[in-house]
Amino acid sequence: MSEEKRKNPLSVYWIYIAFVIVLVSTHLYINSETTSTIKYKETLLDLVEEKAVKQVKIVNQSTARFQLRKNASNYINSRKDLDFPKMRKLLANKNAKPSQIVFELENIGNHANFEKALDERGYHDYENIIETNWLAQILGYLLPFGIIVLIWLFVMRRMSGGGGGGGGGGQIFNIGKSRAQVYEKGKSTNITFKDVAGLEGAKEEIVEIVEFLKNPKKYTELGAKIPKGALLVGPPGTGKTLLAKAVAGEAKVPFFSLSGSDFVEMFVGVGASRVRDLFRQAKEKAPAIIFIDEIDAIGRARGKNNGFNTNDERENTLNQLLTEMDGFGTNSGVIILAATNRADVLDSALMRAGRFDRQIYVDMPDLNERKAIFGVHLKPLKLSTEIDVDFLAKQTPGFSGADIANLCNEAALIAARHNKTQVEKQDFLDAVDRIIGGLEKKNKIITPEEKKTIAYHEAGHASVSWLLQYANPLVKVTIVPRGQSLGAAWYLPEERSITTTEQLLDDMCATLGGRAAEQLTFQRISTGALSDLERVTKQAYAMTSIYGLNERVGNISFYDSQGRDAFTKPYSEDTAKVIDEEVSKLIEGQYQRALQLLGENQDKLAQLAEKLLASEVIFKEDLEEIFGKRPWDPIEEAQLVEEPTQQIEAASELEPASEDASSQESAEEQGPEEPTPNA
């Protein structure tokens, strides 16, 4: 669309404005004659008395209109009061004869008294007239009506889409106009690819897309077609939106950024209108990039659960998006970027080649990537010399980029809270404890009996995990309440790509170690194992019905990655009964295994629990003192926690594998999530 075409509709509004100005000006002109007003009635009466008035007309019994004689100037020049200075000045400025000017006294007071005053001064030639300004009256009625008509025409044009140059911008109140934030003409997000640490594979593909727009001839000369779109997929906090911000900062082309929810509106047709307006703007400024964050808000698969959806506005928006993405030319220079952490719910038509040609998976950072991310987020902080980036990276498995950024900020806040001039290593350890377990509640009221139960519960977790080969290495155990927890155990989870049956079973057994310790020591159990039971139940069902790790059920997986069977089970009632039986058998077997292990080491369990009651916090070194070193522990892993000079610094900050046990309250466990191997 040319610039001239875009400006043409504005001329219509200028015509409306000019018409209104003419009406108002005419009205004002008609209501005002070329007369000069005076303020005081005595001025006119004095002029009448001096025989200086030629003619007086009383208009509508309220206004006196008069003209002066030629000899009036002498008398006017001799007076310095009332309206005479104004009249003298008026005569001088206009350089006119007195008889050529019409003066008007707007308020004569009582009509009868005014006529009497004229008669007393010997002037009887005054004339009473009635004036009616029909044009002014007509305009007085028509002007408001005309303004209403103009407003109505304006609104109708906007609602019909004709007033704003077409597209969504032509709707009333710009409700159908795209809400995209545009970065162009030197405007950027101040984020570049240097600020994106890790994610090397994803960054490489994104850099290539930017290169497509900067130097398209390099590719088109060889017959290549520029990709139309790229979809960033990955868990929350991994850096999908950050990559898009870096593209906006690096690309020297217009960058349109908006969220999927920006298309959603309560009015029918608004979403589709905003899509049209967005792509219209992008095509006008091509080459350009469009970034849609959280595209699953409008890109969900169509046709699912239609019986529960009475409004197809979202589908209309998606249909328009599909049309626009496949509607412009191959090399038009418009590239679509989108991000989502719910790729499984997206419509298949949206995922096909020709719309999103590339799917870039942004996974959780590994060890080396976490080191690079720490390097970015540690730059603004004033750090002590003892900070070791390698140590921090090894102690934060499973942390996303957003988690690491939050960790660094929390460490700085803790250091400032303690009036430190530098952020120290212990601040980072405390920050991890704060993020994972919550704030310490040392003033929480706990009875001695409850505290003893919690100590044996946590000691049970620690003991069983220490005695099992595939359980995660323990770092720290505490019975100090944190958040909603009354106690917690921190472990260092292994970074696994796949998980074996033995590893899952050992993990379940260690999780049930807390309740087993209560049963063995007190011959009773409490509600403190609620989160433990919830976790092992999910693991057992996953092993049986998803991962195919149960011999009786067989190599069958009932996992629905597309979520199409949300309201129906893909197996019979008999199979469901078998699954329930095998899950119960599996959990009970690991519980008995935990009881056996603790029974064989009951004296060591009691020793560990008493030590925990005395100090409230124990570390890996305390378990080595009681149980001895684990024979299957890697040497480097043992050195990892021994690195700190103080025992408190060895309290590494890892994910708690089990939490509180109390006879009065249920505990919430914050340990590693159930493994989901993707072999």
Side-chain angles (χ1 to χ4, degrees), residues 259-520:
S259 172
S261 60
D262 289 336
F263 296 106
V264 180
E265 192 58 77
M266 64 179 291
F267 303 107
V268 177
V270 171
S273 178
R274 289 176 178 174
V275 171
R276 288 191 296 270
D277 187 59
L278 171 65
F279 280 85
R280 177 185 62 81
Q281 294 181 43
K283 291 176 189 178
E284 291 175 357
K285 297 181 179 182
I289 298 175
I290 296 175
F291 173 65
I292 305 175
D293 201 6
E294 307 296 344
I295 195 174
D296 53 278
I298 60 170
R300 289 179 178 267
R302 296 163 292 179
K304 290 184 180 180
N305 305 323
N306 281 338
F308 299 92
N309 187 12
T310 59
N311 188 2
D312 60 349
E313 174 63 13
R314 181 186 56 78
E315 291 193 3
N316 291 338
T317 304
L318 175 58
N319 292 337
Q320 186 63 48
L321 178 62
L322 296 175
T323 303
E324 293 289 345
M325 290 185 67
D326 203 29
F328 47 81
T330 304
N331 293 319
S332 64
V334 179
I335 292 180
I336 315 299
L337 295 181
T340 180
N341 51 24
R342 298 291 309 280
D344 56 311
V345 302
L346 294 181
D347 195 275
S348 57
L350 192 65
M351 305 285 285
R352 76 163 175 85
R355 291 192 173 109
F356 285 117
D357 300 285
R358 300 185 177 186
Q359 294 187 32
I360 304 173
Y361 191 76
V362 186
D363 203 354
M364 286 290 188
D366 56 21
L367 178 62
N368 293 327
E369 290 175 338
R370 289 199 301 274
K371 288 170 60 177
I373 296 172
F374 266 111
V376 171
H377 295 295
L378 290 177
K379 283 183 180 179
L381 305 183
K382 294 182 179 179
L383 303 174
S384 70
T385 56
E386 65 174 347
I387 298 298
D388 185 5
V389 178
D390 292 338
F391 175 79
L392 295 177
K394 291 177 181 177
Q395 300 301 295
T396 51
F399 276 49
S400 66
D403 294 331
I404 293 175
N406 185 34
L407 172 64
C408 295
N409 184 63
E410 191 67 35
L413 294 176
I414 293 173
R417 196 176 299 124
H418 291 88
N419 299 319
K420 298 180 180 179
T421 58
Q422 293 179 325
V423 185
E424 301 174 355
K425 187 175 187 178
Q426 184 60 44
D427 298 324
F428 284 94
L429 301 179
D430 294 340
V432 179
D433 290 351
R434 172 74 179 272
I435 293 172
I436 296 176
L439 182 65
E440 284 190 359
K441 297 181 179 179
K442 294 185 178 181
N443 58 347
K444 188 177 183 66
I445 300 176
I446 301 176
T447 64
E449 184 180 356
E450 290 175 345
K451 192 173 184 180
K452 187 175 181 180
T453 303
I454 298 170
Y456 272 89
H457 183 102
E458 299 301 335
H461 284 304
S463 301
V464 176
S465 65
W466 192 266
L467 297 170
L468 296 176
Q469 179 177 357
Y470 299 108
N472 293 321
L474 184 126
V475 176
K476 171 184 176 182
V477 181
T478 178
I479 58 173
V480 177
R482 284 183 175 273
Q484 297 181 350
S485 308
L486 299 179
W490 274 256
Y491 299 88
L492 183 61
E494 296 181 11
E495 298 187 63
R496 302 166 179 165
S497 299
I498 58 174
T499 305
T500 63
T501 305
E502 291 77 15
Q503 291 169 340
L504 288 171
L505 293 176
D506 283 2
D507 187 48
M508 291 176 62
C509 186
T511 305
L512 293 169
R515 168 160 286 195
E518 293 183 41
Q519 176 69 40
L520 190 65

Side-chain angles (χ1 to χ4, degrees), residues 12 35 73 90 154 223 227 280 368 378 395 426 473 508 514 516-517 557 565 631 649 664 667:
V12 178
T35 61
S73 299
L90 179 66
F154 174 80
R280 177 185 62 81
N368 293 327
L378 290 177
Q395 300 301 295
Q426 184 60 44
M508 291 176 62
S557 177
D565 297 323
E649 292 181 353
Q664 301 291 331

Side-chain angles (χ1 to χ4, degrees), residues 34 46 106 113 141 145 201 225 239 363 372 464 473 479 500 611:
T34 55
D46 289 351
E106 294 183 347
N113 293 335
Y141 289 108
F145 180 75
K225 298 179 180 178
D363 203 354
V464 176
I479 58 173
T500 63
K611 193 167 187 176

Side-chain angles (χ1 to χ4, degrees), residues 504-542:
L504 288 171
L505 293 176
D506 283 2
D507 187 48
M508 291 176 62
C509 186
T511 305
L512 293 169
R515 168 160 286 195
E518 293 183 41
Q519 176 69 40
L520 190 65
T521 304
F522 307 106
Q523 285 75 49
R524 56 175 170 77
I525 54 179
S526 70
T527 60
L530 172 61
S531 60
D532 298 336
L533 298 178
E534 180 187 5
R535 182 179 171 210
V536 297
T537 302
K538 289 181 179 179
Q539 284 184 331
Y541 271 105

Side-chain angles (χ1 to χ4, degrees), residues 9-79:
L10 294 178
S11 61
V12 178
Y13 301 130
W14 284 115
I15 293 174
Y16 293 159
I17 295 171
F19 181 64
V20 172
I21 293 174
V22 169
L23 287 178
V24 174
S25 302
T26 304
H27 181 71
L28 294 176
Y29 177 78
I30 292 173
N31 285 336
S32 63
E33 300 182 9
T34 55
T35 61
S36 300
T37 61
I38 63 174
K39 183 177 179 180
Y40 302 102
K41 181 172 63 176
E42 290 77 8
T43 303
L44 173 58
L45 296 177
D46 289 351
L47 290 169
V48 170
E49 191 172 357
E50 293 293 328
K51 311 297 183 187
V53 177
K54 180 173 68 174
Q55 183 183 29
V56 177
K57 293 182 179 181
I58 302 175
V59 183
N60 299 330
Q61 297 184 357
S62 62
T63 304
R65 194 177 298 153
F66 63 96
Q67 289 179 283
L68 301 177
R69 298 183 184 276
K70 296 180 179 180
N71 61 350
S73 299
N74 296 329
Y75 180 73
I76 293 174
N77 292 331
S78 65
R79 295 287 297 271

Side-chain angles (χ1 to χ4, degrees), residues 508 512 583-593 595:
M508 291 176 62
L512 293 169
V583 167
S584 179
K585 180 181 176 182
L586 182 61
I587 295 175
E588 190 61 29
Q590 296 306 312
Y591 183 68
Q592 295 299 326
R593 182 186 178 195
L595 284 173

Side-chain angles (χ1 to χ4, degrees), residues 205-225:
E205 292 202 58
I206 292 293
V207 171
E208 190 178 44
I209 290 175
V210 176
E211 190 64 27
F212 285 152
L213 297 175
K214 288 184 176 180
N215 190 15
K217 291 185 179 181
K218 177 181 176 181
Y219 304 91
T220 56
E221 286 180 351
L222 298 176
K225 298 179 180 178

